[in-house]
Amino acid sequence: MCIFCKIVNNEIPSNKVLENDEFLAFHDINPKAPIHVLVIPKKHVESFHEVDGETMAKMTPFIQEVAKMLCIDKSGYRLVTNIGKDGGQEVPHLHFHLLGGGKLRWDHRSDANPQKNI
Ligand code: AMP
């Protein structure tokens, strides 16, 4: 079972932001911005490349609600999903990185800490 499925099953703790029957949002353990939350479907889907349109259609308003909860819907945020080896995906369970809380630099190669990445 993948690490995010274990989080869904509460076998691994997470700092949850919001959940419903199908989706879960929780804080990234290694934040790259002042706000860095991961949004996942509870069912195991390997990456964006495998997800079906119906799941994405339901996930969209869920992500928007998470951004509102975090009070970054007006200031703006970045939504990123890494896909496969070249995309830099480390966890093989679809997740969207929701990043915000400050003006984000557009530097996809930076391995910055939360403060330096704004
Ligand atoms: P990616 O490289 O796109 O697959 O991103 C995986 C993300 O999952 C990274 O930003 C990690 O910091 C994060 N991560 C890994 N394990 C955990 C965990 N147990 N709780 C929260 N975030 C995690």
Coordinates of all heavy atoms in Angstrom, one line a residue, residues 3-4 7 12-14 26-32 36 38 81-82 87-92 95 97, ligand 1:
I3 N 2.2 5.2 0.5 CA 2.2 6.1 1.7 C 0.9 6.9 1.8 O 0.4 7.1 3.0 CB 3.5 6.9 1.8 CG1 3.6 7.6 3.1 CG2 3.5 7.9 0.6 CD1 5.0 8.2 3.4
F4 N 0.4 7.4 0.7 CA -0.8 8.3 0.8 C -2.0 7.4 1.1 O -3.0 7.9 1.7 CB -0.9 9.1 -0.4 CG 0.1 10.3 -0.5 CD1 0.1 11.1 -1.7 CD2 0.9 10.6 0.5 CE1 1.0 12.1 -1.7 CE2 1.8 11.6 0.5 CZ 1.9 12.4 -0.7
I7 N -2.1 7.2 4.7 CA -2.6 8.4 5.3 C -4.1 8.4 5.2 O -4.8 8.7 6.2 CB -2.0 9.6 4.6 CG1 -0.5 9.8 5.1 CG2 -2.8 10.9 4.9 CD1 0.2 10.9 4.4
I12 N -0.9 6.3 8.9 CA 0.2 7.3 9.1 C -0.5 8.6 9.4 O -1.5 8.9 8.8 CB 1.0 7.4 7.8 CG1 1.8 6.1 7.6 CG2 1.9 8.6 7.9 CD1 2.6 6.1 6.3
P13 N 0.0 9.3 10.4 CA -0.7 10.6 10.8 C -0.5 11.6 9.7 O 0.5 11.6 9.0 CB 0.0 11.0 12.1 CG 1.3 10.3 12.1 CD 1.1 9.0 11.3
S14 N -1.4 12.6 9.6 CA -1.2 13.7 8.8 C -1.9 14.9 9.4 O -2.8 14.7 10.2 CB -1.8 13.4 7.4 OG -3.2 13.3 7.5
F26 N -4.1 17.7 3.1 CA -3.3 17.7 4.3 C -2.0 18.5 4.0 O -1.6 18.6 2.9 CB -3.0 16.3 4.8 CG -2.3 15.4 3.8 CD1 -1.0 15.2 3.8 CD2 -3.1 14.7 2.8 CE1 -0.3 14.4 2.8 CE2 -2.5 13.9 1.9 CZ -1.1 13.7 1.9
H27 N -1.4 19.0 5.1 CA -0.2 19.8 4.9 C 1.0 18.9 4.5 O 1.2 17.8 5.1 CB 0.2 20.5 6.2 CG -0.8 21.6 6.6 ND1 -0.6 22.9 6.0 CD2 -1.9 21.7 7.3 CE1 -1.6 23.7 6.4 NE2 -2.4 23.0 7.2
D28 N 1.8 19.4 3.6 CA 3.0 18.7 3.1 C 4.0 18.7 4.3 O 4.2 19.7 5.0 CB 3.6 19.4 1.9 CG 4.7 18.5 1.2 OD1 5.7 18.2 1.8 OD2 4.4 18.1 0.1
I29 N 4.7 17.5 4.5 CA 5.6 17.4 5.6 C 6.9 18.2 5.4 O 7.6 18.5 6.3 CB 5.9 15.8 5.8 CG1 6.3 15.5 7.2 CG2 6.9 15.3 4.8 CD1 6.3 14.0 7.5
N30 N 7.2 18.5 4.1 CA 8.4 19.3 3.8 C 8.0 20.5 2.9 O 8.3 20.5 1.7 CB 9.3 18.3 3.1 CG 10.7 18.9 2.7 OD1 11.1 19.9 3.3 ND2 11.3 18.4 1.7
P31 N 7.4 21.5 3.6 CA 6.8 22.6 2.8 C 7.8 23.4 2.0 O 8.9 23.7 2.4 CB 6.1 23.5 3.8 CG 6.8 23.1 5.1 CD 7.2 21.7 5.0
K32 N 7.4 23.7 0.7 CA 8.2 24.5 -0.2 C 7.7 25.9 -0.3 O 8.2 26.7 -1.1 CB 8.3 23.9 -1.6 CG 8.8 22.4 -1.6 CD 10.3 22.5 -1.6 CE 10.9 21.1 -2.0 NZ 10.6 20.0 -1.1
H36 N 1.7 25.0 2.0 CA 2.0 23.9 1.1 C 1.1 22.7 1.5 O 1.4 22.0 2.5 CB 3.5 23.5 1.1 CG 3.8 22.5 0.0 ND1 5.1 22.1 -0.2 CD2 3.1 21.8 -0.8 CE1 5.2 21.2 -1.2 NE2 3.9 21.0 -1.6
L38 N -1.2 19.3 0.2 CA -1.4 18.3 -0.8 C -2.9 17.9 -0.8 O -3.5 17.7 0.2 CB -0.6 17.0 -0.5 CG 0.9 17.2 -0.4 CD1 1.6 16.0 0.1 CD2 1.5 17.7 -1.7
T81 N 1.0 19.4 -10.2 CA 1.1 18.0 -10.0 C 2.2 17.4 -10.8 O 2.4 17.7 -12.0 CB -0.3 17.3 -10.4 OG1 -0.2 15.9 -10.0 CG2 -0.7 17.4 -11.9
N82 N 3.1 16.7 -10.2 CA 4.2 16.0 -10.8 C 3.8 14.7 -11.3 O 3.1 13.9 -10.6 CB 5.4 15.9 -9.9 CG 5.9 17.3 -9.4 OD1 5.9 18.2 -10.2 ND2 6.3 17.4 -8.1
G87 N 8.8 14.0 -14.4 CA 8.0 15.1 -13.7 C 8.4 15.3 -12.3 O 7.9 16.2 -11.6
G88 N 9.3 14.4 -11.8 CA 9.7 14.5 -10.4 C 8.7 13.9 -9.4 O 8.8 14.3 -8.2
Q89 N 7.9 13.0 -9.8 CA 6.9 12.5 -8.9 C 7.6 11.4 -8.0 O 8.1 10.5 -8.5 CB 5.7 11.8 -9.6 CG 4.6 11.3 -8.7 CD 3.5 10.7 -9.5 OE1 3.5 10.5 -10.7 NE2 2.4 10.3 -8.8
E90 N 7.5 11.6 -6.7 CA 8.1 10.7 -5.7 C 7.1 9.8 -5.1 O 7.4 8.6 -4.8 CB 8.8 11.5 -4.6 CG 10.1 12.2 -5.1 CD 10.8 13.0 -4.1 OE1 10.3 13.1 -2.9 OE2 11.8 13.7 -4.4
V91 N 5.9 10.3 -4.9 CA 4.8 9.4 -4.3 C 3.8 9.0 -5.4 O 3.2 9.9 -6.1 CB 4.1 10.1 -3.2 CG1 3.0 9.3 -2.6 CG2 5.1 10.5 -2.1
P92 N 3.7 7.7 -5.7 CA 2.9 7.3 -6.9 C 1.4 7.2 -6.5 O 0.8 6.1 -6.7 CB 3.5 5.9 -7.2 CG 4.0 5.4 -5.9 CD 4.4 6.6 -5.1
H95 N -1.5 13.5 -6.5 CA -1.6 14.6 -5.6 C -1.4 15.9 -6.3 O -0.5 16.0 -7.1 CB -0.7 14.4 -4.4 CG 0.8 14.2 -4.7 ND1 1.2 12.9 -5.2 CD2 1.8 15.0 -4.7 CE1 2.5 13.0 -5.4 NE2 2.9 14.2 -5.2
H97 N -0.1 19.7 -5.5 CA 0.5 20.6 -4.5 C -0.2 21.9 -4.6 O -0.3 22.5 -5.7 CB 2.0 20.8 -4.9 CG 2.8 19.6 -4.8 ND1 3.7 19.3 -3.8 CD2 3.0 18.6 -5.7 CE1 4.3 18.1 -4.1 NE2 3.9 17.7 -5.2
Ligands
AMP1 P1 6.0 14.5 -5.4 O1 7.5 14.7 -5.5 O2 5.2 15.4 -6.3 O3 5.6 13.1 -5.5 O4 5.6 15.1 -4.0 C1 5.5 14.2 -2.9 C2 5.3 15.2 -1.7 O5 4.8 14.4 -0.6 C3 6.5 15.9 -1.2 O6 6.4 17.3 -1.3 C4 6.7 15.3 0.2 O7 7.2 16.3 1.1 C5 5.3 14.9 0.6 N1 5.2 13.9 1.6 C6 5.8 12.7 1.6 N2 5.4 12.0 2.7 C7 4.6 12.8 3.4 C8 3.8 12.6 4.6 N3 3.9 11.5 5.3 N4 3.0 13.6 5.0 C9 2.9 14.8 4.2 N5 3.6 15.0 3.1 C10 4.4 14.0 2.7

